[in-house]
Amino acid sequence: MVSVEVERLVVHNPMGYPPKVPPKPMAPRLDTLDGKTIFLVDCRFDDADLLLQQLQSWFAQNLPNVNTRLVQLSSVYTKDDPELWTRIKSEGHAAIVGVGH
Amino acid sequence: MTIESQYQVPTVALHTNVFERVVRSVARFNGMPGMRTAFVPQPVMGKTAAELRSYVHGTDPVTGRPVVQEIVEGLTRPFRDNELQKTVYERTTPRLVDPGSEDELQRLFLENHWTDMLPIVLPTEERVAAMLAGTSREPDEVVGRMRPTLFREAWEYTVEKVAVNAVMAGARPEYLPVILALAASGSTARGSTTSSAAAMAVVNGPIRHEIGMSGGIGAMGPYNHANATIGRAYGLLSQNLQGGSVPGLTYMGSQGNGYAFTNVTFAENEEASPWEPFHVSHGFPSSASTVSVFGGVRHTAFTLGVREKHWREHVQHMLLGMDPREQPLFVLDPIAARLFVERGPFATKQELEDWAHSVAQMKASEYWDYQLVQNYVYPRATFGEEPYASMLAAAPEELIPMFPREAINVVVVGGETNGYWRIFGGSYATTVSVDDWR
C-alpha cells in the first residue's frame, strides 16, 4: 500500500464583516381590537391596495367594532414616511402594512 | 419595522409567501426577530378582487392557519421571551477557513455560496499576499460598505477582503486598483432585486492600456483576461462582502441574468470615439483613470448601422421597446458612433442623448399603466414630485417622455469589424477614481 499525502491548504474566508445588531423595542400588543382603529397601509407595490381593500371588507363584515382606515405611503416603498407614522401613532392603535416585498 | 420600533405602534407586516426566508432574515438582522407577519400566496399582482378576497379568507401558506387569525393574533398576542432580542447580536468573520485539500475547499466554497458556481482560484495566503502587492493601500484599511438591498444592513470590508475575492476571480495583482475602485463604489453587482439585475463597469484613462484591458474586438467578452476577471471579481466581491447572494434569502431574481457572471466590463475605446471619454463627461480629466458603474443591466436591443432614410424611426422603436423604468445606455461601436455624428448631426454625445430623450415618448395612458411605473413612479407623482406630477396631469392621449434626460448615457466600445451597436438598460451609479487605489 502506498499512501498519497494530500496537501492541506490554508485559505482566506472571502466574506465581509457584518455589523453588530442591537435589539429594537417591540410595541406592546393590544388587549383587544374592539373599538380600536387599525390603519391598513398600502405600500404601493404590485396591486397591494386591492388586497388591502379585501382585508378592509373582511374587518367590516366580521369585526364591525374595529375601525379600519386604508392609507397609502406618500411615496415609493423604499422611502420612509415619518408623517404617516406620526399620524397613525396619533389617530390609531395598530397597523397592518402590506404587501411587503 | 420603523413604525413598530420607533413609533411603538403594534404592527403586522403582510407579505407574499415566496419572501418568507427574506422577511425572517431581514427582521432578525434588524434586531426584531419577533416581528409579527402574515403571508398570502404569490402573486398579488394581476389578481381579481375575487381572487384576492380568497387570499384574505384563506389560509396563510406558511403557517397553514387562517390569514386573518395570524393578523388578529399578531396585533393582540403578547410577545414570548424568545421573540424578543435582548442583547446586541455579535457577528464576526474569521480571517481564514479550516485547512483542507483542494477538492474539499472548492466544495466548501461552493456549498457556502461563496462562488458564482464556476471553479474559483483558492485564496491561499500566498496568493492573497501577491495580490496585495498590486496596491499601496494597507491590507486592513476599510474600503467601503455594501448591501444587497436597502432593507438589509450594510457589511464592511477591507483591502485584504477585496484582494481575497480578486484572487478567487482569477485576477492579476495589477488589476487590483480597478477592483478596489469597484468595491469602493459601494454599488453592488449582486442586488437581490426580483428583476434579476446585473452591473456594467466601464474603465477609462491610462489604466486601460497599463493592464491590457480591451475596448476593441470582443471587448464585452469573453476574450480579454483583464475585462473578464475584473468583472467576475466585481460580482464575487459584491456577493461575499455584502453578506451573501443566496437564492431565496439574499437574492430574489426571478429569472437570473447571464450578464452577472462578468458584469459587462470593458474599456471605453477612447481613441476611436468621436466624442469625449465617459469619465471626462463626469468631471474627471482625461489623464485620470476611473471606473464607471451602471446597475440594472438586463435589457438589450441591437441593430446594425444608422440608416440614412429611416434611422430616426429605427432608434425610436428601440427606445419604445424598453420598459420606461429602464435607463437607456447606448453602447456604440466606433463605426456606429461616427454614423450618428453624420446623421444627427451630433457633434457631442450630449446632443445624441438630448435627441433620444426628445423622441422617446409614449401616450400618457400607456406610460402610467406600466407595472414598474405604477410601483416606483406613480407614488412619487401623486404626491407632487416633478416632473412626474406634471406628467400625471397629461391627457391620456398626450405624448410624454419615457425617460428623464439624465437617465440617458452613451459609451463607445468595439473593434470596428462592423457598425453594430446596442441599447442596454443601465442605470448610471457613479464614477470612481482608480488612481486613488493604486
Side-chain angles (χ1 to χ4, degrees):
Chain A
M1 288 279 291
V2 177
S3 66
V4 178
E5 188 129 336
V6 177
E7 186 185 7
R8 308 287 287 176
L9 301 171
V10 176
V11 303
H12 283 260
N13 183 314
M15 297 289 283
Y17 300 104
K20 295 175 182 174
V21 180
K24 289 183 179 162
M26 307 297 288
R29 301 293 103 171
L30 302 172
D31 295 332
T32 176
L33 298 185
D34 218 28
K36 300 294 196 299
T37 297
I38 301 176
F39 278 77
L40 309 181
V41 182
D42 168 19
C43 291
R44 312 187 75 171
F45 188 85
D46 280 4
D47 301 338
D49 56 333
L50 303 179
L51 180 71
L52 292 180
Q53 286 170 15
Q54 295 302 322
L55 185 57
Q56 190 172 34
S57 295
W58 183 91
F59 273 105
Q61 290 166 10
N62 296 280
L63 294 175
N65 290 334
V66 177
N67 303 309
T68 57
R69 294 190 203 171
L70 182 52
V71 294
Q72 293 183 317
L73 291 178
S74 62
S75 187
V76 293
Y77 69 92
T78 52
K79 290 189 177 178
D80 194 16
D81 195 348
E83 281 186 28
L84 179 60
W85 307 144
T86 302
R87 180 185 163 206
I88 293 173
K89 176 71 175 174
S90 162
E91 300 176 14
H93 301 94
I96 300 166
V97 182
V99 174
H101 181 61
Chain B
M1 286 186 284
T2 303
I3 186 175
E4 171 94 38
S5 64
Q6 289 186 24
Y7 293 80
Q8 288 292 288
V9 174
T11 301
V12 168
L14 191 56
H15 300 271
T16 57
N17 61 318
V18 296
F19 291 92
E20 183 207 353
R21 289 177 71 205
V22 177
V23 168
R24 306 264 186 247
S25 171
V26 168
R28 184 169 168 232
F29 293 131
N30 275 280
M32 301 171 65
M35 188 180 77
R36 293 288 166 76
T37 55
F39 295 90
V40 295
Q42 170 86 338
V44 167
M45 179 181 66
K47 292 295 180 183
T48 64
E51 289 169 325
L52 295 174
R53 184 171 182 273
S54 73
Y55 280 11
V56 170
H57 289 250
T59 55
D60 181 322
V62 172
T63 66
R65 297 177 355 125
V67 168
V68 289
Q69 185 179 353
E70 294 289 356
I71 291 173
V72 170
E73 288 188 11
L75 296 173
T76 57
R77 182 171 53 77
F79 287 106
R80 295 186 292 266
D81 270 1
N82 63 0
E83 290 180 295
L84 299 174
Q85 185 172 311
K86 298 200 173 60
T87 57
V88 173
Y89 182 32
E90 298 264 11
R91 294 179 292 171
T92 58
T93 301
R95 184 163 178 263
L96 304 171
V97 301
D98 291 339
S101 68
E102 168 88 27
D103 286 349
E104 289 169 346
L105 290 170
Q106 286 282 356
R107 190 162 54 248
L108 176 76
F109 275 56
L110 193 64
E111 290 171 351
N112 283 348
H113 296 275
W114 290 345
T115 77
D116 49 14
M117 300 297 138
L118 302 177
I120 47 98
V121 177
L122 287 172
T124 62
E125 291 182 290
E126 296 77 15
R127 287 169 180 157
V128 173
M131 180 62 68
L132 285 166
T135 182
S136 62
R137 297 298 191 102
E138 294 297 320
D140 60 353
E141 184 177 342
V142 172
V143 176
R145 302 168 82 219
M146 198 177 282
R147 54 186 172 178
T149 170
L150 290 173
F151 300 110
R152 285 191 173 273
E153 79 286 14
W155 287 37
E156 193 171 85
Y157 39 87
T158 60
V159 169
E160 182 176 84
K161 285 289 188 184
V162 175
V164 169
N165 283 275
V167 168
M168 289 167 61
R172 295 173 183 152
E174 56 265 35
Y175 310 161
L176 186 60
V178 180
I179 297 168
L180 284 165
L182 286 165
S185 75
S187 183
T188 181
R190 292 278 198 271
S192 77
T193 173
T194 53
S195 65
S196 307
M200 180 182 287
V202 181
V203 177
N204 283 102
I207 190 79
R208 295 169 302 141
H209 300 307
E210 291 167 20
I211 64 175
M213 289 192 76
S214 173
I217 295 176
M220 286 195 278
Y223 299 99
N224 177 274
H225 188 266
N227 293 20
T229 58
I230 289 171
R232 188 187 187 201
Y234 184 25
L236 291 175
L237 73 86
S238 294
Q239 69 183 63
N240 290 326
L241 301 181
Q242 72 184 6
S245 184
V246 180
L249 186 61
T250 40
Y251 179 77
M252 296 300 290
S254 193
Q255 294 182 307
N257 189 330
Y259 287 145
F261 282 107
T262 53
N263 289 299
V264 199
T265 300
F266 57 88
E268 187 170 32
N269 194 339
E270 298 177 21
E271 291 73 16
S273 171
W275 301 309
E276 67 182 9
F278 188 84
H279 68 320
V280 173
S281 304
H282 288 79
F284 288 84
S286 59
S287 59
S289 293
T290 66
V291 61
S292 298
V293 178
F294 297 82
V297 176
R298 297 166 287 250
H299 174 103
T300 314
F302 101 111
T303 192
L304 172 61
V306 186
R307 301 284 292 168
E308 184 174 10
K309 189 174 181 183
H310 284 298
W311 68 271
R312 294 175 185 83
E313 291 85 350
H314 296 164
V315 180
Q316 184 181 35
H317 294 162
M318 292 168 76
L319 292 163
L320 290 172
M322 302 181 76
D323 188 286
R325 273 287 292 173
E326 299 268 10
Q327 301 201 3
L329 173 56
F330 286 68
V331 178
L332 308 178
D333 186 276
I335 291 175
R338 288 193 291 271
L339 281 170
F340 271 114
V341 170
E342 292 173 24
R343 299 284 188 240
F346 302 122
T348 67
K349 60 184 172 185
Q350 287 78 16
E351 290 174 13
L352 171 56
E353 293 162 0
D354 288 339
W355 175 81
H357 173 68
S358 71
V359 299
Q361 295 187 323
M362 65 168 48
K363 290 177 184 174
S365 59
E366 292 178 15
Y367 174 87
W368 290 111
D369 192 47
Y370 271 90
Q371 186 69 57
L372 283 172
V373 171
Q374 280 287 308
N375 287 357
Y376 293 102
V377 183
Y378 181 72
R380 296 161 69 179
T382 54
F383 282 81
E385 184 176 332
E386 292 293 354
Y388 305 117
S390 297
M391 290 164 60
L392 189 58
E397 297 296 306
E398 188 177 337
L399 293 176
I400 60 175
M402 292 174 65
F403 312 106
R405 165 64 185 84
E406 62 275 13
I408 303 171
N409 287 286
V410 176
V411 296
V412 176
V413 65
E416 303 184 66
T417 59
N418 211 337
Y420 282 107
W421 60 280
R422 313 182 202 188
I423 301 178
F424 284 89
S427 310
Y428 174 65
T430 186
T431 299
V432 181
S433 167
V434 170
D435 298 322
D436 288 349
W437 295 99
R438 288 180 184 268

